[in-house]
Amino acid sequence: MNLKQTINKAALCSARRLWSSLFLLSLFIVPTAMTAHNSTSVSKNQSVSKVDITRIEPENWFVGMKDPTLQLMVYGKDIKFSDVSTDYENVRIDSLVRLDSPNYLLVYLNLKDAKPGEMTLSFKGKDGKVIKRKYQLLARSMAGADHKGFDNSDVLYMLMPDRFANGNPKNDIVKGMQDQLCDRNEPSLRHGGDLEGIRQHLDYFTRLGVTALWFTPVLENDRPADNGKNSTYHGYATTDYYKVDPRFGTNDEYKKLIAECHQKGLKVVMDMIFNHCGDYHTWNRDMPSKDWFNYPNYGLQTSYKLTPVLDPYASKVDMRETVDGWFVASMPDLNQRNPHVIKYLIQNSMWWIETVGIDGIRMDTYPYADRKAMAEWMKALDAEYPNFNTVGETWVTEPAYTAAWQKDSKLSDINSYLKTVMDFSFFDKLTLAKNEETDDWWKGLNRIYNSLCYDYLYTNPSSVMAFIENHDTDRFLGNGKDTTALKQAYALLLTMNRIPQLYYGTEVLMNGTKEITDGNVRKDFPGGFPGDKADKFTREGRTTAENAMFDWTSKILHWRQNNEVISKGKQTQFIPWHGVYVLARQLDGKTVLTILNGKKADNKVEVARYAEVIGRHTTATDITTGKTIDLTKDIPLGHRQTMILCF
């Protein structure tokens, strides 16, 4: 999410606050639209009391976790006043937390040495009557250490489920949901893409050569479209942390999709948001406690300035506005300092890992949430899943800021335990460089050199995620189709010491900018929707230029797979010389040279300058063309030419 998008949304704040006010009138009415997540209901012969249970979160849990503590959030009319008991072997109720709202009760269980099975929880109301609920304790499918995350041997392909492919038109509009609009002519409304559409095109990803998929959030966003023009198709206003949005599919379909991805060698990264939820979440309609949110009822707007979080001289007011302010009026700011809030969120992330088998997490708006609480989350996740990986969105373009967020950083007084951060510096410098001539000083590809030279700040540069575009930025191609700069960007992205992330459709020349709306950089993938004139998933549906770009990208991606020179090799970069930027990767006698001509004119590689990485080799193969290159003499380069030489 970005500032431009936020400003557009902020114009709708008044309308949203009116909607919120109307819904606050319903606090004294038991919500009827919420889905019960417990799998059993009260039998006919059980006593009926004034106490009711609408849902229990999480809906089930797993035995054998390193942390045996389980928080159950029980929701229902006047449930707060109940006592709870169970006779399940090796399960102990440690505490009951009675929150401000009468409709919540937190039950803390200790599951040490508990076995899989179905336990019965008994809720005894003030009147002495009892409601019983069955609760499943499940065996884990694998040990925590066996969950393998993504790393720099992978290439992530980011896509928006609503905009990628519509595999099941029957779920475009779901009866009973707040938003009944689905219109592909409106760039900010839902278009109908879903999980089934992704599943039907898994072979496309393997043909392309990516190894991991990052979907923007798939969880329920059940709120009406503002003025019939703006919806939460993007997924960043969660209304149910345990349920896939029905317009995308079901929890079971999500699990099956991930399993099928794994069968094809594809990992899946889940986008999560702990900084805020959606204003139509039950919590915002019936607030559990006075401190569940920061500044309830949109009491403070964030400044969007992230520097105070690490600024040693930051004022209290600046820090408060950054961390405790709401992102927009429709996204209540969660108070992660509340121990029950952060426990809920920690459990939620673990539940999805255990339940559907995701291979990584991308955490949205990372520095906007409480820093210590997020470190607690990451420490707990790392303890349970030591080989898992999480990347945090840290949108500041200075490497020192980004590096301070990485696990074990010496630049920070708090260990974040966050293994992977996003390289906004590379994105920012490349955005400028692509339109500049590379001189012998600071412009053009010098900007890339000057960004990477600060890698000494990172505890682990190979666990930094780099990208040239995403759903919050202009597409790299802008409003054009010229692939010259794109090939240079991809060559660098896919060979330097980073975890690379691609954005859907660029491989078939999808373009667009954000001047009018974010929807113009989030267009539907052609061929993914009924009625599309062309199917860009197929060679027959693509133009000659689109096939050329797809083939060029696919060739490099497949060459990169299992290539340890790229994932493990030493990196050496040379200051751009006469407009030519050279980056080398070396391992066990093998070398890869990425060569970029930063001039809009013919140029050459002065081979003698790079003798330290070329050594005695006399020939190399250019991966981009398959041609043999003579290393005994200067190498001619055309206008903005790109080479990836292997020897």
Side-chain angles (χ1 to χ4, degrees):
M1 305 191 49
N2 64 14
L3 184 55
K4 290 182 180 178
Q5 177 183 357
T6 299
I7 291 173
N8 291 335
K9 289 182 179 179
L12 300 169
C13 288
S14 297
R16 285 176 174 149
R17 295 183 69 179
L18 175 59
W19 272 105
S20 298
S21 298
L22 291 174
F23 271 89
L24 287 172
L25 294 175
S26 66
L27 291 182
F28 299 102
I29 302 173
V30 179
T32 59
M34 293 177 291
T35 303
H37 278 254
N38 50 301
S39 58
T40 61
S41 58
V42 183
S43 63
K44 293 181 180 179
N45 60 359
Q46 288 178 4
S47 300
V48 178
S49 71
K50 293 181 180 179
V51 172
D52 189 18
I53 296 175
T54 306
R55 65 191 295 167
I56 298 177
E57 294 179 330
E59 64 183 53
N60 50 45
W61 196 245
F62 303 87
V63 298
M65 306 286 280
K66 288 186 178 180
D67 181 357
T69 304
L70 170 62
Q71 175 206 82
L72 295 181
M73 172 173 275
V74 185
Y75 186 74
K77 180 176 171 57
D78 292 332
I79 193 63
K80 168 182 178 177
F81 306 105
S82 298
D83 287 323
V84 186
S85 62
T86 184
D87 59 1
Y88 195 80
E89 187 176 6
N90 292 328
V91 172
R92 184 179 73 245
I93 296 177
D94 281 346
S95 63
L96 301 177
V97 179
R98 308 183 194 281
L99 301 171
D100 297 330
S101 168
N103 301 321
Y104 294 90
L105 179 65
L106 298 181
V107 182
Y108 281 88
L109 304 174
N110 189 309
L111 306 182
K112 186 178 181 181
D113 299 324
K115 303 299 182 185
E118 184 178 81
M119 70 174 174
T120 300
L121 296 169
S122 299
F123 297 83
K124 184 178 182 180
K126 281 185 175 181
D127 58 2
K129 295 182 178 179
V130 175
I131 292 178
K132 295 187 176 183
R133 285 290 185 269
K134 302 294 185 181
Y135 192 86
Q136 295 289 333
L137 295 177
L138 306 175
R140 304 172 73 179
S141 62
M142 66 178 76
D146 292 336
H147 286 270
K148 305 295 184 182
F150 62 93
D151 57 31
N152 71 334
S153 67
D154 290 303
V155 176
L156 279 68
Y157 185 92
M158 181 202 175
L159 62 86
M160 305 194 78
D162 182 65
R163 302 301 166 89
F164 192 70
N166 187 348
N168 180 16
K170 293 180 180 179
N171 64 19
D172 291 357
I173 297 175
V174 176
K175 185 178 180 180
M177 298 198 76
Q178 305 273 359
D179 183 358
Q180 293 289 299
L181 301 176
C182 183
D183 185 351
R184 293 181 64 197
N185 294 317
E186 289 290 344
S188 296
L189 291 183
R190 294 182 179 274
H191 290 187
D194 50 32
L195 298 180
E196 176 60 19
I198 297 170
R199 190 196 67 79
Q200 292 175 5
H201 293 94
L202 294 185
D203 287 340
Y204 176 79
F205 305 123
T206 57
R207 288 197 302 273
L208 179 60
V210 296
T211 63
L213 306 178
W214 158 23
F215 311 151
T216 50
V218 298
L219 298 185
E220 182 191 86
N221 276 231
D222 188 14
R223 72 181 316 276
D226 294 320
N227 301 321
K229 293 290 185 181
N230 295 285
S231 69
T232 55
Y233 68 90
H234 47 70
Y236 290 98
T238 310
T239 56
D240 191 330
Y241 281 93
Y242 284 95
K243 183 181 180 183
V244 169
D245 194 293
R247 291 157 295 196
F248 291 153
T250 66
N251 287 16
D252 283 343
E253 287 173 328
Y254 187 38
K255 181 177 181 178
K256 290 176 182 177
L257 170 61
I258 293 171
E260 196 165 336
C261 285
H262 290 168
Q263 291 172 3
K264 293 182 178 293
L266 296 167
K267 299 176 182 179
V268 176
V269 177
M270 187 174 185
D271 206 327
M272 295 185 178
I273 315 99
F274 285 2
N275 176 65
H276 53 263
C277 65
D279 57 346
Y280 278 72
H281 194 290
T282 304
W283 293 337
N284 197 46
R285 298 167 59 186
D286 185 358
M287 195 159 54
S289 62
K290 293 187 292 289
D291 62 347
W292 202 261
F293 294 114
N294 294 312
Y295 294 92
N297 303 316
Y298 194 36
L300 182 67
Q301 169 63 50
T302 186
S303 64
Y304 304 109
K305 297 177 180 178
L306 298 178
T307 46
V309 182
L310 299 181
D311 180 2
Y313 312 115
S315 66
K316 291 180 180 179
V317 63
D318 288 335
M319 180 70 81
R320 183 169 62 249
E321 287 176 352
T322 296
V323 177
D324 294 345
W326 289 30
F327 204 77
V328 291
S330 61
M331 297 177 181
D333 197 72
L334 290 167
N335 176 20
Q336 300 85 19
R337 291 182 293 272
N338 181 320
H340 308 302
V341 173
I342 194 61
K343 180 64 175 179
Y344 178 98
L345 297 173
I346 290 171
Q347 283 189 176
N348 180 257
S349 59
M350 292 182 174
W351 188 86
W352 284 108
I353 294 171
E354 296 288 338
T355 301
V356 301
I358 55 173
D359 306 288
I361 293 170
R362 181 264 187 185
M363 182 55 65
D364 183 65
T365 53
Y366 199 94
Y368 289 94
D370 183 76
R371 189 175 166 207
K372 290 183 178 179
M374 295 301 283
E376 180 185 345
W377 166 59
M378 282 308 313
K379 185 177 182 180
L381 213 62
D382 195 33
E384 192 66 57
Y385 309 101
N387 298 311
F388 195 74
N389 197 9
T390 297
V391 57
E393 181 193 34
T394 48
W395 197 323
V396 173
T397 59
E398 298 302 321
Y401 183 92
T402 307
W405 285 97
Q406 195 173 45
K407 181 182 178 182
D408 299 328
S409 175
K410 302 300 183 184
L411 302 175
S412 174
D413 59 336
I414 297 174
N415 191 344
S416 71
Y417 295 94
L418 176 66
K419 293 179 182 177
T420 301
V421 289
M422 293 176 67
D423 194 349
F424 280 93
S425 175
F426 174 75
F427 159 75
D428 179 63
K429 308 306 185 293
L430 185 64
T431 300
L432 295 172
K434 70 180 181 181
N435 295 317
E436 296 178 335
E437 282 276 296
T438 299
D439 57 22
D440 288 336
W441 293 98
W442 309 112
K443 290 187 177 181
L445 296 172
N446 286 288
R447 297 183 186 275
I448 307 302
Y449 172 88
N450 291 332
S451 180
L452 294 181
C453 74
Y454 289 107
D455 270 15
Y456 62 84
L457 296 169
Y458 292 104
T459 53
N460 185 4
S462 66
S463 195
V464 176
M465 192 175 83
F467 56 98
I468 67 172
E469 59 190 346
N470 63 29
H471 61 312
D472 287 328
T473 72
D474 288 347
R475 282 190 174 268
F476 188 86
L477 290 171
N479 290 317
K481 297 279 188 177
D482 185 359
T483 62
T484 308
L486 176 60
K487 288 180 178 179
Q488 291 198 332
Y490 269 2
L492 189 57
L493 180 67
L494 296 172
T495 58
M496 68 181 187
N497 189 24
R498 288 292 190 269
I499 301 172
Q501 172 247 302
L502 310 182
Y503 188 42
Y504 79 100
T506 297
E507 72 279 2
V508 292
L509 306 185
M510 286 182 66
N511 60 7
T513 58
K514 294 161 57 73
E515 292 107 338
I516 299 175
T517 173
D518 287 351
N520 284 341
V521 300
R522 304 169 178 178
K523 295 175 183 176
D524 300 343
F525 195 106
F529 295 78
D532 282 356
K533 295 180 180 179
D535 183 359
K536 305 299 183 183
F537 289 110
T538 66
R539 296 196 67 81
E540 295 75 19
R542 297 192 287 261
T543 66
T544 300
E546 290 163 352
N547 273 321
M549 190 64 214
F550 180 93
D551 293 344
W552 190 94
T553 306
S554 180
K555 181 186 296 184
I556 297 176
L557 288 171
H558 283 283
W559 162 80
R560 191 185 191 279
Q561 289 182 14
N562 303 313
N563 190 334
E564 292 192 345
V565 180
I566 301 302
S567 61
K568 297 180 180 179
K570 173 188 174 184
Q571 179 163 295
T572 303
Q573 67 167 344
F574 295 80
I575 296 174
W577 180 255
H578 297 169
V580 177
Y581 178 45
V582 175
L583 183 141
R585 305 298 303 278
Q586 294 181 295
L587 180 70
D588 296 335
K590 297 179 180 179
T591 298
V592 173
L593 287 187
T594 301
I595 300 171
L596 308 179
N597 177 14
K599 295 285 189 181
K600 296 179 181 179
D602 291 344
N603 208 338
K604 64 180 179 180
V605 180
E606 299 179 33
V607 171
R609 181 172 178 79
Y610 308 101
E612 65 189 88
V613 292
I614 293 176
R616 296 182 179 180
H617 292 276
T618 58
T619 62
T621 300
D622 183 0
I623 296 302
T624 68
T625 63
K627 294 180 179 180
T628 299
I629 305 299
D630 187 349
L631 298 178
T632 65
K633 57 184 180 181
D634 292 348
I635 304 169
L637 294 171
H639 155 76
R640 292 276 190 172
Q641 185 174 349
T642 300
M643 284 185 169
I644 300 176
L645 303 187
C646 296
F647 51 89

